[in-house]
Amino acid sequence: MTNVLEVLARWGGVSRRGNLLRDGVSRSDLEYALESGAVIRPSRGIYALADADPVLVRCASTDSLLTCVSAAKAHGLWVVREPQEIHIQRSDGRFSSGRAVVHRQSWVPPSPRSHVASQADVLLHALRCLPELEALVMVESAIQQGFSREFLLERLPGHRNATARRVIDAVGAGADSLIEVLAREHLRRAGLQVRTQVEVEGVGWMDLLIEDFLDLETDGRTHNEPVQRAKDYRRDRSAQLRGYEVLRYTYSDVVDRPEAMVAEVKRAVARRRSLGLAAPA
């Protein structure tokens, strides 16, 4: 039975019977694993570990690959929202098991034994499927990992891919989180000058520097911890003593209420300019 579990693990926890037999699993071992409960048979010809990811089981059962936003986390990419529907890749475009968004085209084959599309296909599908900002955070996180921007651009020619190319052109450098990317883009689209990851002596790294005087910080979960919160208070005081305005926003502020964030930043910028205060040196 150990052999069955090891082979299934190499297949991501789920596989067709024929694949397991070709990998050396005997029919008797497979039946014994079923009887013991260590392995389940969710559909005809499909075998899975008892704790296998049900989404991957569904893909294996339908000869599909997980892709687009549904496969983002499998490739270590940022995701703004969990999808309500599963995104799968099938060359024939058919999917008979529940609701799904089906992507047909493939540019790069997946890794052997994988039930997840290649990172290239995942990104290209996202660029042609998702809202611009949701695609942007996925692509920017991939490019930060070393994925080629040029590779994506070369595969998105023509007028129909103009929006996808615009997303790629918006990719920046140095963002620490998806909320930093979203905040940057919302503010730039509002006509504000934004610089990212600016180092200021005596303060440290600012997430976003707006119009050269407003330090905007985007706070993830770690900022709720007492030690981190105390550090944040100290750096904010340092920034303010050097003449910077400071505003902090949470994940919910940036993702769920971006219009309110932009309006507050614009008010802070307008107030500063009305006072005639110069940007800090």
Side-chain angles (χ1 to χ4, degrees), residues 13 21 26 44-45 57 62 94 98 123 129 150 179 186 228 230 246:
L21 297 178
S26 69
R44 183 178 180 181
V57 171
T62 55
R94 295 181 300 179
L123 293 171
C129 172
E150 289 69 29
I179 56 173
H186 283 304
Q228 182 61 49
V246 181

Side-chain angles (χ1 to χ4, degrees), residues 107 124 127-128 152-158 161-162 164-165 168:
W107 294 262
L124 289 162
L127 282 163
R128 296 172 67 171
L152 296 173
L153 288 171
E154 288 170 2
R155 284 152 184 82
L156 294 166
N161 291 314
R165 292 196 302 273
I168 297 171

Side-chain angles (χ1 to χ4, degrees), residues 226-239:
V227 173
Q228 182 61 49
R229 193 179 306 146
K231 290 173 64 176
D232 291 341
Y233 290 159
R234 286 195 296 272
R235 72 163 306 286
D236 288 355
R237 291 195 298 271
S238 296

Side-chain angles (χ1 to χ4, degrees), residues 170-230:
V171 170
D176 286 337
S177 66
L178 69 90
I179 56 173
E180 192 174 315
V181 175
L182 292 174
R184 180 194 73 209
E185 290 308 304
H186 283 304
L187 294 167
R188 282 180 175 170
R189 292 181 179 195
L192 295 166
Q193 179 194 66
V194 184
R195 290 197 287 150
T196 60
Q197 291 299 317
V198 178
E199 186 176 20
V200 176
E201 185 177 356
V203 178
W205 292 94
M206 295 181 176
D207 288 349
L208 303 172
L209 182 58
I210 316 299
E211 301 292 336
D212 289 327
F213 61 76
L214 195 156
D215 171 18
L216 188 147
E217 297 297 314
T218 53
D219 293 349
R221 291 187 180 91
T222 60
H223 291 265
N224 293 325
E225 298 172 1
V227 173
Q228 182 61 49
R229 193 179 306 146

Side-chain angles (χ1 to χ4, degrees), residues 9-134:
R10 292 199 294 270
W11 281 95
V14 57
S15 178
R16 289 192 168 275
R17 183 173 182 270
N19 294 328
L20 299 176
L21 297 178
R22 281 190 290 273
D23 279 357
V25 174
S26 69
R27 290 176 174 82
S28 59
D29 282 347
L30 197 52
E31 290 305 314
Y32 180 77
L34 275 173
E35 292 172 3
S36 70
V39 171
I40 60 174
R41 185 163 50 201
S43 60
R44 183 178 180 181
I46 299 295
Y47 294 80
L49 297 174
D51 60 351
D53 184 339
V55 175
L56 295 184
V57 171
R58 188 177 173 193
C59 286
S61 301
T62 55
D63 286 326
S64 307
L65 294 172
L66 205 62
T67 192
C68 195
V69 65
S70 296
K73 289 186 177 179
H75 287 289
L77 306 177
W78 292 331
V79 177
V80 177
R81 293 181 179 87
E82 294 294 335
Q84 294 182 340
E85 297 176 313
I86 185 173
H87 289 246
I88 59 100
Q89 178 181 312
R90 278 181 66 100
S91 59
D92 61 11
R94 295 181 300 179
F95 193 73
S96 59
S97 177
R99 296 189 306 166
V101 178
V102 182
H103 301 264
R104 294 184 178 222
Q105 191 169 357
S106 177
W107 294 262
V108 177
S111 301
R113 305 172 185 268
S114 179
H115 303 292
V116 179
S118 66
Q119 189 178 57
D121 283 2
V122 167
L123 293 171
L124 289 162
H125 290 151
L127 282 163
R128 296 172 67 171
C129 172
L130 301 180
E132 289 186 34
L133 292 181
E134 293 184 28

Side-chain angles (χ1 to χ4, degrees), residues 191-193 211 213 267-277:
L192 295 166
Q193 179 194 66
E211 301 292 336
F213 61 76
R267 285 203 300 273
V269 169
R271 181 182 63 82
R272 174 89 174 210
R273 286 175 175 165
S274 70
L275 295 174
L277 299 176

